[in-house]
Amino acid sequence: MDKAVGSTLRDTLNFIDGEYRSSGKTFANINPATGEQYSVVHEASKADVDAAVKAARKAVDGEWGKMPTPKRIEMVSAIAAEINRRSDDFLEAEIADTGKPHDLASHLDIPRGAANFQIFADVMKQHHGEAFAMPTPDGTGAINITSDRPRGVIGVVCPWNLPLLLMTWKVGPAMACGNAVVVKPSEETPSTASLLGEVMNKVGIPHGAYNVVNGFGPDSAGEFLVSHPQVDAITFTGETRTGEAIMRNAATGVRPVSFELGGKNFGIVFADCDMDKAIEGTLRSVFMNCGQVCLNTENLLVERPIFDEFVKRLKAGAEKLKPGAPHDKACNMGPLVSDEHRRKVLSYYEIAKKDGANIVTGGGIPKMPTELEGGFWIQPTIWTGLKDDSRVVTEEVFGPCCHIRPFDTEEEALRIANGNQYGLACSIWTENLSRAHRIGPKMEVGICWINCWFLRDLRTPFGGSKKSGIGREGGEYSLEFYLEKSNICIKL
Ligand code: NAD
Ligand code: 6OD
């Protein structure tokens, strides 16, 4: 990593108007694998956030906003190439912030971080307006032409579970459309957002088009950003409750929001599934990233004839997972992100016990080697036997755990899954093509995977229904949020 520019693993700085800036107030960044502090994060003050928003405004009104689209697209592609060129730096930063396995970060987080710029450079290359000819009573006619322009300054508020991936999923399209962004990364995982500033400068992005302000939510950089009157639109990924707080701020000035929020996702396993595929896919969908993916399966409905076999095989798979150091190739499971989050997940492990769950496996903290004992490790956990109204079954835990329940009919499975307050994702396991076509459109979710999980084509609409979000992002769908459309009506 280029320490001379200012973003080192030891000092994580704000990035404002093309420069790294320290601040008078700092907080500790803890490595979740060890529990040790490894970086000092500079918390942005209200004045820093204001400077970042003003720099962004200047960029939109200046060189960045006026840049011809082909040139801007070329620059956005160059960001993708530079992230790939520096993938080792991004990997190390992401791993230190999250403790996740090197294999996972190198196959998912970092390459998707780069792809999130390239896909939207490609989308903008193809993007075009429309024309509608119309008759008029006087017979001369009129023509309507759609036109669009960037919304302006976009506030981007991010979570900690897939830090670079989820941040660039918003920054990529926002910048490809010609907006300027002010990013507030999670306080738990600020490093890759800060490092991305070096990439922006290297490829020559005009100053102010990309800014990063570090800090927390309420009464800190998050709230300062979303309540800033010169922020034109807010895109947020995180908890539903935080989304509600942000929405209250966005109401002032009637500013648009795009929200990717919490989930409580179902897996439905039919007796006609391919059991090997269903087990392998479900092990990923429950335990990948230590269960910290909003799309993770936390509730499994398994058709009664295969219930016992499914539970037995999922337990065997869970017990083969090996928590350990990110760079240890023999290990495939990281820790939870923080002590606070582990306390939250363990509180659900306690509720499960109190509610009379049968603990199929796990339920506690694993024994780790001395050097990792201070980390936020947790056992992969499977329960059966809970009632449908247990909080473990209805609330998002965001940990490596699931409850498995039997069902008898397709209608029953649909009713239970759609009775959920969230509507983000589901996975259905069946080899019956008619069933797949019948049930897919009936699932009240933003994405329904059949015989797979987290298989992503970045051109497709992504988002949640019910309490899982507002809006869809991906391909052309992202442009609906990041571009403001007008209709030009010309009377001939
Ligand atoms: P969080 O809501 O606690 O925090 C997210 C971000 O919001 C952080 O940067 C935080 O500092 C900021 N924030 C908190 N309060 C704020 C406020 N009042 N004003 C402005 N900013 C504020 O979420 P998290 O714990 O970082 O992430 C986990 C949650 O995110 C889970 O619920 C998960 O399901 C959800 N998530 C959803 C998706 C999706 O695509 N739907 C993706 C990833 C994570
Ligand atoms: O793949 C994506 O685009 C996406 N937004 C994934 C979200 C994962 C949630 O943790």
Side-chain angles (χ1 to χ4, degrees):
M1 188 171 304
D2 185 357
K3 295 189 178 182
V5 184
S7 171
T8 75
L9 282 183
R10 259 165 279 131
D11 264 289
T12 306
L13 303 173
N14 299 302
F15 184 73
I16 298 171
D17 206 7
E19 282 181 353
Y20 282 98
R21 297 196 193 167
S22 57
S23 80
K25 205 170 163 197
T26 60
F27 60 94
N29 189 1
I30 307 290
N31 180 336
T34 60
E36 281 162 17
Q37 177 176 354
Y38 78 94
S39 117
V40 171
V41 188
H42 291 249
E43 184 177 352
S45 63
K46 203 168 192 174
D48 293 326
V49 173
D50 183 55
V53 173
K54 291 210 163 103
R57 186 72 253 169
K58 198 172 65 166
V60 175
D61 293 340
E63 189 190 348
W64 180 242
K66 294 194 175 105
M67 189 177 281
T69 303
K71 170 79 180 147
R72 193 174 70 241
I73 290 172
E74 208 177 281
M75 291 198 116
V76 171
S77 278
I79 298 170
E82 183 63 9
I83 294 174
N84 282 329
R85 193 185 71 77
R86 294 196 56 189
S87 69
D88 286 347
D89 293 338
F90 278 97
L91 260 173
E92 289 317 311
E94 203 75 305
I95 288 170
D97 273 1
T98 60
K100 67 177 75 191
H102 181 278
D103 189 56
L104 177 62
S106 64
H107 284 101
L108 176 67
D109 300 66
I110 309 307
R112 252 305 290 280
N116 285 342
F117 285 98
Q118 190 55 53
I119 163 86
F120 291 105
D122 295 342
V123 167
M124 281 308 284
K125 247 185 232 165
Q126 304 296 329
H127 182 62
H128 53 77
E130 288 177 297
F132 303 84
M134 68 183 284
T136 55
D138 65 4
T140 63
I143 186 150
N144 294 275
I145 301 166
T146 60
S147 165
D148 42 38
R149 57 186 182 280
R151 280 206 192 262
V153 177
I154 312 285
V156 183
V157 182
C158 308
W160 44 256
N161 59 326
L162 302 167
L164 183 71
L165 187 161
L166 291 173
M167 187 255 294
T168 52
W169 182 236
K170 293 166 177 306
V171 170
M175 291 184 67
C177 290
N179 299 284
V181 297
V182 180
V183 174
K184 210 300 277 172
S186 167
E187 52 274 35
E188 306 289 355
T189 55
S191 301
T192 46
S194 185
L195 181 55
L196 191 58
E198 292 183 14
V199 168
M200 298 292 170
N201 283 350
K202 176 75 194 287
V203 307
I205 296 291
H207 291 177
Y210 175 81
N211 305 274
V212 181
V213 290
N214 291 307
F216 303 84
D219 203 26
S220 182
E223 189 178 316
F224 301 152
L225 179 61
V226 298
S227 59
H228 196 294
Q230 282 168 282
V231 169
D232 300 300
I234 300 163
T235 177
F236 166 72
T237 300
E239 279 192 30
T240 299
R241 222 169 344 136
T242 311
E244 288 169 351
I246 291 178
M247 208 164 174
R248 280 191 282 276
N249 270 300
T252 306
V254 201
R255 291 162 309 148
V257 294
S258 172
F259 281 172
E260 290 184 14
L261 307 175
K264 185 74 183 176
N265 310 303
F266 277 78
I268 306 181
V269 189
F270 287 95
D272 57 21
C273 74
D274 175 321
M275 181 67 96
D276 291 344
K277 274 195 237 161
I279 290 290
E280 199 213 319
T282 305
L283 282 168
R284 282 182 63 238
S285 81
V286 175
F287 299 115
M288 194 180 94
N289 209 37
C290 198
Q292 302 165 114
V293 180
C294 59
L295 308 160
N296 272 67
T297 306
E298 288 192 358
N299 275 327
L300 277 151
L301 304 175
V302 179
E303 205 167 355
R304 203 173 297 273
I306 60 163
F307 183 80
D308 290 343
E309 186 193 350
F310 186 89
V311 172
K312 191 167 134 213
R313 290 187 58 180
L314 200 73
K315 168 179 156 62
E319 289 174 355
K320 278 202 201 114
L321 293 169
K322 192 148 172 30
H327 291 282
D328 183 340
K329 288 196 168 64
C331 298
N332 52 11
M333 192 169 169
L336 291 174
V337 77
S338 65
D339 186 35
E340 186 189 345
H341 188 54
R342 185 168 66 169
R343 277 189 269 115
K344 176 185 157 188
V345 175
L346 285 172
S347 78
Y348 281 99
Y349 283 20
E350 279 310 303
I351 296 171
K353 258 195 236 163
K354 270 204 217 109
D355 286 355
N358 167 39
I359 302 169
V360 176
T361 188
I365 294 175
K367 175 95 191 87
M368 299 301 291
T370 320
E371 67 281 11
L372 300 177
E373 261 173 5
F376 313 123
W377 303 94
I378 193 154
Q379 287 178 329
T381 294
I382 300 173
W383 305 284
T384 56
L386 285 169
K387 295 216 175 88
D388 288 344
D389 63 355
S390 165
R391 286 180 55 205
V392 175
V393 173
T394 60
E395 296 176 12
E396 180 185 51
V397 179
F398 221 52
C401 54
C402 66
H403 177 252
I404 318 181
R405 171 208 200 284
F407 74 90
D408 295 297
T409 64
E410 191 176 300
E411 294 68 33
E412 182 193 9
L414 260 171
R415 179 180 48 74
I416 297 169
N418 284 340
N420 178 8
Q421 59 175 326
Y422 293 105
L424 190 55
C426 69
S427 279
I428 313 269
W429 301 91
T430 177
E431 292 295 306
N432 178 335
L433 194 60
S434 302
R435 191 201 294 283
H437 279 289
R438 185 166 63 238
I439 199 169
K442 290 189 185 147
M443 300 304 302
E444 294 170 6
V445 292
I447 184 158
C448 172
W449 278 294
I450 306 222
N451 295 328
C452 58
W453 175 76
F454 209 170
L455 183 57
R456 295 278 290 113
D457 179 327
L458 305 186
R459 297 168 301 180
T460 57
F462 180 92
S465 57
K466 304 189 206 171
K467 285 193 182 172
S468 290
I470 297 179
R472 296 291 181 268
E473 295 190 21
E476 277 276 333
Y477 301 92
S478 291
L479 309 192
E480 287 170 19
F481 181 71
Y482 295 106
L483 289 174
E484 181 82 60
K485 252 194 200 327
S486 345
N487 181 52
I488 320 296
C489 178
I490 305 172
K491 173 82 167 52
L492 302 174

